Structure formats: C-alpha cells, structure tokens
C-alpha cells in the first residue's frame, strides 16, 4: 500500500464508519474480559499469545486491529520521511561539522523507529513513499541539501510535527496499552530532538503561542484545530492566571498540543510525490 | 514526629518488563524518606500484627486508586519539580548568571513546572473532594548546592528525565473509560513532551553539541531496533527512586495505584 492509498482508505473509513463505532467495538470487547481487550495488540510478537488468538476470533477485534494498523502506518510514514531526510542531509554534506553529532544521533533514532514500526506491522506495513524535500508537491522550491538554514528549518518542522502527531494518536491507542506505551516512548524522544534543533536555530526549545519561525508555508505545523496557542487545559481556560510566571506565553509553552491525522497528513503531503 | 518502627517486606509485582521485586514498607517515619512504596496487588501479603501499635497515628495521605491516584502521583512529581526550580531561581548560581540562554531556560522551566503544578491542583480539586487531593508537600533540598552550576543542572537533568519516564509509564495506567479519562491521557501527553524538551535543553547545557540531549545513557532499546526510545517506568519504581533522593519530607503512601 502506498501513502496516497492509505489516505484514501482513511477518508473512506471516516465516511463509512459512524462516529463512536470504535467505542462500541471496545465495549463489546470489554464484555469478553480484560484479556480480550489487551489482545488487540497488533504486534507480531503478541500474535503467538493465546490472548491474541482469542481476539482474532472475533470480528470486533479484527476491526479494532485495523485501526491500530492505520495509526502505525501513519507513524511509519512520518518516520520514513524523517529517516530519509536526515540520511540525505548527512550524505549531502550540508551539515556543519559542529552539528554532526546531533544530526547523526537523530538520524540513528529515526532509523530505529522505522525498523521498529516495520517489525510491528509486518506484512501490513506501507511501502516507503517517494519524497521530494524541495516541497515541490506542495508548490515549494526549497533546497535543504545545499542550504543549511533550510535543512535546519525543515528538521525543526518535522520534529515539532512528529511530537504533535504522536500526541494526537494517544487517544486512538488508549485501548491498546502496550502500543500506547511504545508510542509514548517514541513521542518524547521526538520532543528531545525538537528542542535540540530549535535551540540550534536560536529558538527556545519549547513552543511559545503558535509562533512559526519557519517559512510561512509551514504555519500549519503550529496551528490546527487545537493550536499551540491553546490556553484551555482539562476544560479550564487558564489564560491570565500566571502573570508572574511568564503569563500566557509560558502557559502555552508548558503544554504541547496535538495535531489530528488529517492535519499531519496535509503537512507531510508537501513532501510526498506518491 | 516521633520515630516509629519500620517494617520492610518484600513483594513482587508483574509489569510489562517482567517480574521484579521491590520493597513494601509499612509503618511510618522512615528517617529522611518521605515515601512509602507499596504494591496494590498484594493479596498474598498479610501484615503481621504491629507489636507496638501507635494509639494515635498521624494520618498519612494515600495517593488513591484509579485515575485519581495517577493524577495525585503526577501532582506530587510536579510539586517536586516546581519547588526545586523555585529554589534554583532563589539561589546564587542562577542569580549570578548573565542574561542569556541558560538563565532564560531555568526561568522558563520554573514557570512551566509551577504552571503544571497549579494545573493539577485545579484539575484534581475539580474532580474530587479536597481531602482526596494530595496536600502541599514539603521539601528538603539541602543536598543540592544552589550556588553551584553542576549541582543545579545535574539535579535538574535527573528530575526532568525522571518526569519523562514517569509520564510515559503512567499513560497506560490512565483509565480512559472513566469520566475525563481521555482528557487526562491527552493532557499527560501534552505535558510529557514539554518535560522531554526540558530534559533535552538541560542535558545540552551540560554537554553542548553532544548526543546527550537524547543520550544513550537515558534511552532504551525496543525490540532490538536501537537505543532510540525514552523509558516508560511504573510509578512504584519512580517513587522508590524519588524517595531515595530524600527531597520530599512529607510522608505519603502509594498503596492503591493501578499497575
């Protein structure tokens, strides 16, 4: 399956499936008991357990598994993109000598994440899309592998997007504790990367309001249905509560915000040919 | 507080990383340690009769069970971090710094951690009666030298890395089928990445331009793919580690947390 096909499939699913159907599925599964719920882990390593066997015998569980596969393939797309970007950056020689350590480390991590997700998905993994880091598919004309500031800007954009993308899927993985935990373990590493690259660009390691210091076409990385400038947490608008603690700027820095799958895909599509 | 006997019993707990052993301590007033760590799945543990029962025991707060327990757990960690950074900003090392990135980072992190603490205070008070909300904890940071850069930054590094691992380990323990459970999970996700950003920045202050911002010393491997993942650590281990720091002087128990 390629990326475009995945997108089509996801949008079809949204049309075809009623909202809340996943919750119904999960409630059904709960009636089978805790073991059945745990067994929705789509990992190859889990497939041998007797719990997984019990779950795959139910259509409900099969539907649930498909959703987790979508999330994993979504993550894999981003990890492919990051891995290719950093590998091409390293190969191109665009990276300053003093920053080699940092980008080699990040590259190693993205490579590991791809390996991990491929192993987890097995035959269900999508193929690597064809990327164009000039941004031509999105109408841009960037030159990241000859122009270091552009390389750094894209690196920041990909890392900040990655953090928001994984965060946005936490809820979708909530019924799959093992997978949720793995995703969280990747999510915070992406945040470590993001902070480092931001600081190398002279930015704060955290995101103030929805400030975008990348080319204006990347404003979406900091916006979305829950923009980074959001001040409402847990249903309470905390704006204005912290005048002596950096005010609303610090408040928005203190909480990173999620992006939806659609919002992330729109950003990623700028660099995806097919 | 008068001293009391401390009973230590071993029990075991299952978790994703296999079978491990940790200590259950019953009784109060472990000198220098504010935390009492317990297992919740302790059906096989029967406490022996206390040979020296205290007729008027001071009530010790328990974090509670379910999502409340996890919220109080996070609130305890945020109280610790906020108190630490406030001490940093009151200390001569920070005050003596020239205006610049390092000074700004520490001030920002103080702001963020106090905001996290206040968020949890608000959220937990909105959800349960006041007596179920972890009280304001007291701290003793006398082992940290707030005049000394290395002491300040290495303590900060340890607290931020601990925070990341703690939130990562708590995520799956949040029951999203309960009221506001999905909100709690998402909010934990919103906070943990900021803790990771802090950890990254402080690690890079200590060793600029190195791999330490996401160093092998703090990361782990998953499935043989490479050392490229933050750890996810269950509350019992986090609380034991934090207890060993002896920063928290207010006693509380964590006997009913989900695991």
């Amino acid at each position: 399956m390629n990326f475009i096909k995945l997108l089509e499939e996801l949008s079809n699913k949204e049309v075809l499936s009623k909202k809340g159907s996943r919750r119904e599925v999960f409630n059904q599964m709960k009636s089978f008991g805790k073991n059945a719920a745990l067994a929705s882990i789509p990992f190859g390593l889990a497939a041998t357990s007797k719990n997984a066997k019990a779950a795959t015998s139910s259509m409900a569980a099969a539907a649930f598994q498909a959703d987790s596969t979508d999330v994993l393939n979504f993550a894999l797309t981003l990890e492919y993109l990051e891995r290719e970007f950093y590998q091409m950056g390293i190969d191109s020689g665009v990276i300053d000598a003093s920053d080699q350590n940092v980008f080699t480390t990040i590259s190693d991590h993205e490579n590991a994440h791809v390996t991990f997700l491929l192993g987890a998905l097995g035959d269900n993994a999508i193929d690597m899309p064809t990327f164009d880091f000039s941004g031509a598919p999105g109408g841009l004309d960037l030159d990241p592998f000859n122009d270091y500031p552009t390389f750094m800007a894209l690196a920041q954009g990909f890392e900040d997007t990655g953090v928001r993308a994984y965060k946005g899927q936490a809820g979708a993985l909530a019924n799959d504790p093992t997978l949720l935990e793995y995703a969280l373990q990747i999510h915070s590493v992406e945040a470590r990367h993001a902070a480092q690259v931001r600081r190398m660009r002279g930015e704060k390691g955290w995101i103030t309001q929805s400030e975008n210091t990348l080319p204006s076409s990347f404003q979406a990385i900091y916006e979305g249905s829950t923009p980074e400038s959001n001040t409402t947490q847990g249903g309470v608008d905390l704006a204005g509560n912290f005048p002596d603690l950096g005010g609303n700027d610090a408040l928005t820095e203190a909480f990173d915000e999620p992006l939806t799958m659609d919002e992330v895909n729109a950003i990623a599509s700028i660099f995806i040919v097919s | 507080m008068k001293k009391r006997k401390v009973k230590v019993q071993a029990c075991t707990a299952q978790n994703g990383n296999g079978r491990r052993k940790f200590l259950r301590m019953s009784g109060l007033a472990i000198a220098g340690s504010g935390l009492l760590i317990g297992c919740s799945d302790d059906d096989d543990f029967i406490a022996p009769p206390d040979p020296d029962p205290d007729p008027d025991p001071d009530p010790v707060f328990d974090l509670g069970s379910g999502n409340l327990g996890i919220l109080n757990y996070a609130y305890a960690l945020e109280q610790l971090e906020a108190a630490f950074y406030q001490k940093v900003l009151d200390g001569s090392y920070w005050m003596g710094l020239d205006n610049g990135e390092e000074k700004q980072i520490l001030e920002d992190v103080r702001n963020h951690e106090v905001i996290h603490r206040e968020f949890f205070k608000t959220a937990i008070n909105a959800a349960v009666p006041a007596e179920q909300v972890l009280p304001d904890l007291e701290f003793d940071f006398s082992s940290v030298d707030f005049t000394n850069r290395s002491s300040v930054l290495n303590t900060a590094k340890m607290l931020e890395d601990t925070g990341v691992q703690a939130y990562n380990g708590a995520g799956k323990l949040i029951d999203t089928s309960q009221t506001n459970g999905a909100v709690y999970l998402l909010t934990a996700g919103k906070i943990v990445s900021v803790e990771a950003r802090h950890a990254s920045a402080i690690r890079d202050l200590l060793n600029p331009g190195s791999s330490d911002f996401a160093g092998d010393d703090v990361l782990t491997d998953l499935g043989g793919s490479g050392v490229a993942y933050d750890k996810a650590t269950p509350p019992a281990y986090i609380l034991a580690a934090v207890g060993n720091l002896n920063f928290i002087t207010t006693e509380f128990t964590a006997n009913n947390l989900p695991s």
Side-chain angles (χ1 to χ4, degrees), chain A residues 105 188 199 253-254 256-257, chain B residues 101 112 116 190 193 211 230:
Chain A
T105 301
S188 54
R199 291 182 49 253
E253 290 167 0
D256 278 335
E257 301 296 337
Chain B
E101 195 196 14
H112 302 163
H116 291 165
K190 293 180 180 202
S193 55
S211 301
D230 268 305

Side-chain angles (χ1 to χ4, degrees), chain B:
Chain B
M1 180 188 287
K2 62 187 153 175
K3 247 190 160 165
R4 294 176 201 150
K5 284 182 182 160
V6 175
K7 293 186 288 290
V8 179
Q9 300 239 352
C11 65
T12 56
Q14 289 282 0
N15 64 46
N17 297 325
R19 195 172 172 85
R20 294 191 194 168
K21 193 166 256 192
F22 57 90
L23 297 178
R24 177 191 176 93
M25 298 172 226
S26 58
L28 306 177
I30 298 164
S33 172
L35 297 178
L36 309 176
I37 313 304
C39 316
S40 57
D41 51 343
D42 55 357
D43 297 342
D44 57 345
F45 173 66
I46 299 160
D50 190 337
D52 180 22
D54 193 314
D56 183 26
D58 295 332
V60 171
F61 185 87
D62 187 81
L63 295 179
S65 61
N67 287 346
L68 170 65
I70 296 298
L71 289 173
N72 272 325
Y73 166 60
Y75 182 33
L77 296 178
E78 296 294 352
Q79 285 198 36
L80 169 61
E81 289 185 312
F84 168 73
Y85 287 105
Q86 191 54 58
K87 291 281 283 185
V88 170
L89 264 62
D90 291 341
S92 65
Y93 172 66
W94 185 82
M95 290 200 188
L97 277 173
D98 291 335
N99 287 332
E101 195 196 14
E102 187 160 324
K103 190 161 194 163
Q104 183 72 53
I105 284 174
L106 290 167
E107 183 176 352
D108 283 357
V109 175
R110 188 280 307 263
N111 293 343
H112 302 163
E113 303 299 5
V114 175
I115 289 169
H116 291 165
R117 181 189 71 197
E118 295 305 302
F119 163 75
F120 278 108
K121 189 174 194 171
T122 304
I124 303 170
N125 272 293
V128 297
E131 64 267 22
Q132 293 179 47
V133 183
L134 179 71
D136 291 349
L137 300 176
E138 291 178 6
F139 299 94
D140 173 4
F141 291 110
S142 58
S143 60
V144 181
D145 180 355
F146 290 98
T147 71
N148 179 278
R149 180 178 194 261
S150 173
S151 182
V152 166
L153 292 184
N154 278 298
T155 306
K157 173 176 101 167
M158 185 265 305
L159 288 176
E160 297 298 336
D161 285 336
T162 300
V164 171
Q165 294 167 19
Y167 278 101
N168 280 349
K172 70 177 179 188
L173 303 179
I174 297 170
D175 183 350
T176 54
S177 72
Q178 299 296 310
T179 306
N180 287 331
V183 173
Y184 298 147
L185 174 60
L186 177 59
T187 309
K190 293 180 180 202
I191 293 174
V192 66
S193 55
V194 173
E195 303 289 351
R197 290 174 189 271
H198 294 165
S200 172
I202 286 162
R203 285 172 152 269
D204 192 62
L205 290 178
L206 282 162
N207 194 1
S210 71
S211 301
D212 283 11
F213 68 97
D216 284 358
D217 63 305
V218 72
L219 301 185
T220 189
D221 180 23
L222 282 182
S225 61
V227 180
Y229 309 86
D230 268 305
K231 290 170 186 159
T233 308
Y237 301 98
I238 294 289
L239 289 171
V242 169
N244 284 336
L245 298 172
N246 295 329
F247 287 157
I248 303 177
T249 57
T250 307
E251 292 161 3
F252 62 86
T253 57
N255 290 329
N256 297 291
L257 289 182
S259 60

Side-chain angles (χ1 to χ4, degrees), chain A residues 26-224:
Chain A
F26 183 60
N27 286 339
Q28 273 180 309
M29 286 187 61
K30 264 184 168 166
S31 66
F32 301 142
K34 201 178 170 192
N35 286 343
L38 288 168
S40 60
I41 300 161
F43 284 72
L45 49 122
T48 53
S49 81
K50 62 180 193 309
N51 293 342
K53 220 171 174 180
T56 48
S57 69
S58 109
M59 280 179 66
F64 195 71
Q65 274 191 328
D67 278 351
S68 290
T69 302
D70 291 343
V71 173
L72 287 180
N73 270 322
F74 167 74
L76 177 60
T77 303
L78 289 179
E79 298 290 356
Y80 274 141
L81 181 147
E82 290 182 316
R83 181 187 70 172
E84 289 303 292
F85 175 73
Y86 291 114
Q87 193 56 57
M88 290 172 76
I90 288 167
D91 293 347
S92 71
V94 73
I95 297 169
D96 279 2
S98 59
D99 296 340
Q100 288 287 341
N101 270 338
V102 167
F103 284 112
T104 302
T105 301
I106 295 176
S107 176
D108 288 348
H109 293 168
E110 310 303 3
N111 199 20
H113 297 166
V114 169
T115 302
F116 177 75
L117 290 168
L118 283 174
L121 280 157
D123 292 343
N124 294 319
I126 58 164
D127 297 333
M128 189 172 78
T130 303
F131 298 109
D132 180 347
F133 292 106
S134 74
L140 304 179
D141 184 19
L142 306 172
D143 193 12
F145 304 123
N146 288 300
D147 182 61
Y148 191 48
T150 301
F151 178 84
M152 301 258 284
L154 288 187
Q156 175 184 321
F158 293 150
E159 297 297 340
D160 278 337
T161 301
V163 175
R164 300 191 68 189
Y166 276 97
K167 200 186 321 292
Q169 297 310 308
L173 299 175
N175 297 323
D176 201 333
T178 304
L179 187 50
L180 172 65
E181 187 156 293
Y182 292 154
L184 287 171
Q185 290 179 263
I186 298 176
H187 167 248
S188 54
V189 169
E190 302 290 348
R192 288 177 186 267
H193 297 167
Q196 179 67 23
V197 176
R198 293 176 64 88
R199 291 182 49 253
M200 287 160 63
R201 293 187 69 246
E203 301 294 313
K204 286 187 175 186
W206 19 94
I207 302 167
T208 309
Q209 300 288 349
S210 291
E211 283 175 14
N212 171 39
T213 60
L214 311 177
S216 60
S217 6
F218 298 114
Q219 183 65 40
I221 292 172
Y222 301 99
E223 298 290 353

